[in-house]
Amino acid sequence: MCPPRVRKRAWNQARRARRSAQGSRLSLAKKLCIKTYGCQMNVYDSGRMADLLAPLGYDTTEDAAEADLVILNTCHIREKAAEKVYSDVGRLRDLRAERNARGGGGLTIAVAGCVAQAEGAEIMRRAPAVDLVVGPQAYHRLPELIARAHRSKGEALDTDFPVDSKFDHLPQQHRVEGSAAFLTIQEGCDKFCTFCVVPYTRGAETSRPVGAVLAEARHLAGLGAQEITLLGQNVNAYHGEAPDGGAPWSLARLAAALAEIPGLARIRYTTSHPRDMDDTLIAAHGRLPQLMPFLHLPVQSGSDRILDQMNRRHTADDYRQVIAKLRAARPDIALSSDFIVGFPGESERDFQATLDLVTEIGFAQAYSFKYSPRPGTPASMMADSLPEEVKSERLARLQAAIAEGQRRFNEACVGRILPVLFDRPGRRPGQLVGRSPYMHAVHAEVPAHLSGRILDVVIDSAHPNSLGGHLADPAEAAA
Ligand code: 5AD
Ligand code: SF4
């Protein structure tokens, strides 16, 4: 699950990419609607699918009612997300029937993403309205699959993990939204946490070669990206093929090379595993000013017993130590995390250990979820599942503790001078909105012509999800 603030930005970026793809449309434009669920990786993938289909004449729309092709880019991480797909397919089926009754054009329904990967054949069986199913590793084959679906329905299912990387077949990204861009550098996961479907839906850990990543980053910087978020399910396990055929590069080494790219002022990466937070990466946070002092590092639970049952292969103390080292390397670093409550067998004492960890670390923000058993995962076979009311009650307590941490962090920003990347108009005239190093939206009176600049802002107000401030150097407004 991705942080909503990141997701909103990612969604805008994908939408822009799709819009810009319209430039290359053929005269007989067809309409494509992509609905994206789940993480920022899916948002990135949706943008790439739109780029891929633009040369086939697909113009994008947000409105399924006017689309010739609808792609549901799905998420399988929790039950609710997966079930939504079937209700959306039902709505699209009705739309198609209505259109047919009116003698209108056809509607092709495609299911992509992690539900497609996990339940491809099941989708074809349970939802016959679906014309084609494509897994996250095979979407570069969409044009061929669409043609196949139009010829004969029922054959267009591709959930392979092809040996040839999809990245070798995708066009370059077209445009950068608001000075920020996403770049997938790693996919899949070999960690096999017992609750998680990712190792099954996204497959084994693979890293894109360093040369391809640097080329895409330079391209994005050339398009105006000042901030790049490196994406991967287990991004800090990155080990990309070296440009010179030498030993694979780590994320720390990659970040150092990215920091050399002119114009790239900010580098982020997400999502990471505590076990892969090695000393070189921690040291990079101290050495590279471009690495933003904000890290999403999921811990899931504060109880060693539960962490063991989750197969996290670290203890709560290991996590504390990583945080202590990060803070020593980069004292202004802020942290974010993911938590699961109500894992099978979680006692009140285990849960209390999670609450204690939240209070002790002081997260700037965090995401918390009720445990949801996923088919085929080891945890789904575990006894001692907890009643829904217990999960809900714990979730509410945890969220209150997280909100308190976030409030404190935001308030502690008041009086600080933070560099803000301004890239959007504010709600009020004369205002721009930008992003702090900590992903806050920051509102300030800034002339519109300074959009796209990183400016020092004195923070003078804190809100639950945003900050307000004024330019540290008023002369800048006149510049
Ligand atoms: N139930 C609840 N939350 C889950 N997550 C992953 N799998 C599950 C599950 N089965 C959460 C974890 C992970 C985030 C992306 O989603 O906290 O870090
Ligand atoms: Fe899932 Fe664990 Fe891999 Fe994260 S590290 S993607 S939670 S298996």
Side-chain angles (χ1 to χ4, degrees):
M1 187 57 211
C2 82
R5 267 176 276 169
V6 175
R7 187 163 44 195
K8 184 151 185 258
R9 183 155 60 92
W11 167 248
N12 287 337
Q13 185 189 334
R15 193 174 56 193
R16 271 290 187 86
R18 292 198 297 274
R19 282 208 185 127
S20 74
Q22 291 170 11
S24 54
R25 71 177 191 258
L26 300 178
S27 52
L28 263 182
K30 293 162 273 184
K31 294 270 187 188
L32 162 69
C33 174
I34 306 186
K35 182 164 177 188
T36 309
Y37 310 75
C39 66
Q40 55 269 60
M41 206 111 154
N42 267 8
V43 178
Y44 177 89
D45 288 348
S46 292
R48 309 310 309 272
M49 285 190 250
D51 292 343
L52 185 72
L53 295 176
L56 301 184
Y58 282 99
D59 203 349
T60 56
T61 173
E62 312 263 303
D63 184 4
E66 60 171 34
D68 302 280
L69 167 63
V70 176
I71 301 177
L72 303 175
N73 193 13
T74 62
C75 170
H76 201 240
I77 201 108
R78 283 172 295 276
E79 191 180 359
K80 263 195 196 154
E83 276 305 311
K84 260 204 107 298
V85 177
Y86 290 100
S87 55
D88 278 354
V89 169
R91 265 194 292 278
L92 292 171
R93 184 199 51 214
D94 296 346
L95 182 69
R96 176 154 68 191
E98 240 173 69
R99 220 188 261 183
N100 286 344
R102 277 191 279 112
L107 170 65
T108 305
I109 305 172
V111 178
C114 293
V115 179
Q117 187 63 46
E119 302 179 9
E122 168 76 3
I123 294 171
M124 288 296 213
R125 195 187 57 75
R126 185 173 153 190
V130 172
D131 299 292
L132 72 99
V133 170
V134 60
Q137 304 309 331
Y139 66 74
H140 57 291
R141 297 179 183 163
L142 259 175
E144 178 198 328
L145 283 168
I146 294 168
R148 229 196 285 167
H150 288 160
R151 279 199 307 273
S152 65
K153 202 182 126 49
E155 280 178 26
L157 179 134
D158 193 342
T159 50
D160 280 359
F161 288 99
V163 275
D164 55 333
S165 163
K166 68 181 172 217
F167 293 109
D168 297 340
H169 300 270
L170 294 171
Q172 281 191 323
Q173 295 195 52
H174 292 277
R175 202 190 287 186
V176 165
E177 158 88 5
S179 308
F182 288 88
L183 203 173
T184 292
I185 64 166
Q186 181 278 339
E187 278 194 90
C189 182
D190 295 340
K191 295 281 189 294
F192 290 94
C193 300
T194 54
F195 54 81
C196 185
V197 285
V198 167
Y200 313 99
T201 53
R202 289 272 174 169
E205 238 174 69
T206 53
S207 296
R208 289 179 71 189
V210 170
V213 172
L214 293 179
E216 192 167 336
R218 280 191 207 104
H219 174 73
L220 290 168
L223 293 174
Q226 295 178 62
E227 177 172 312
I228 282 200
T229 303
L230 308 173
L231 299 178
Q233 265 96 22
N234 204 171
V235 74
N236 60 341
Y238 179 84
H239 54 284
E241 187 187 311
D244 58 2
W249 283 27
S250 66
L251 182 60
R253 190 155 178 207
L254 181 72
L258 287 166
E260 301 279 310
I261 295 178
L264 258 197
R266 294 176 159 197
I267 301 168
R268 305 178 187 274
Y269 59 92
T270 192
T271 287
S272 297
H273 192 287
R275 274 177 67 93
D276 293 315
M277 233 30 247
D278 63 26
D279 287 346
T280 55
L281 185 53
I282 293 172
H285 276 274
R287 218 181 43 244
L288 301 173
Q290 290 88 343
L291 260 187
M292 286 295 93
F294 182 68
L295 181 65
H296 183 65
L297 192 60
V299 61
Q300 315 296 356
S301 169
S303 153
D304 288 346
R305 206 177 64 82
I306 296 298
L307 288 170
D308 182 49
Q309 293 290 300
M310 288 177 163
N311 190 34
R312 292 288 292 176
R313 296 192 292 137
H314 63 79
T315 62
D317 268 350
D318 294 335
Y319 187 81
R320 288 185 180 93
Q321 274 168 29
V322 168
I323 303 297
K325 283 193 205 171
L326 277 162
R327 284 178 166 156
R330 181 85 205 233
D332 61 345
I333 200 161
L335 295 141
S336 158
S337 195
D338 289 342
F339 293 92
I340 295 178
V341 299
F343 188 80
E346 184 191 69
S347 65
E348 179 58 31
R349 196 162 156 200
D350 294 319
F351 175 65
Q352 190 57 50
T354 300
L355 285 181
D356 292 346
L357 188 70
V358 167
T359 312
E360 183 189 331
I361 302 279
F363 293 98
Q365 58 159 66
Y367 302 90
S368 48
F369 312 100
K370 282 193 238 178
Y371 167 70
S372 152
R374 307 306 296 125
T377 57
S380 70
M381 265 86 87
M382 289 178 187
D384 289 337
S385 65
L386 269 78
E388 207 46 36
E389 312 81 76
V390 174
K391 288 189 197 172
S392 299
E393 191 264 342
R394 286 186 188 164
L395 185 68
R397 278 155 70 202
L398 177 59
Q399 289 184 338
I402 290 169
E404 174 58 17
Q406 183 163 349
R407 189 190 61 75
R408 277 188 205 201
F409 178 74
N410 289 359
E411 275 174 12
C413 289
V414 174
R416 283 179 69 183
I417 295 180
L418 296 179
V420 176
L421 171 54
F422 286 100
D423 57 6
R424 295 174 271 151
R427 226 174 291 150
R428 285 199 232 118
Q431 256 194 356
L432 287 182
V433 183
R435 232 173 350 275
S436 79
Y438 307 116
M439 297 295 287
H440 300 105
V442 183
H443 304 253
E445 304 277 313
V446 181
H449 73 272
L450 294 182
S451 188
R453 295 266 305 272
I454 297 175
L455 302 169
D456 280 345
V457 172
V458 182
I459 303 300
D460 39 41
S461 63
H463 314 281
N465 291 309
S466 64
L467 301 174
H470 61 271
L471 287 182
D473 178 2
E476 235 154 349

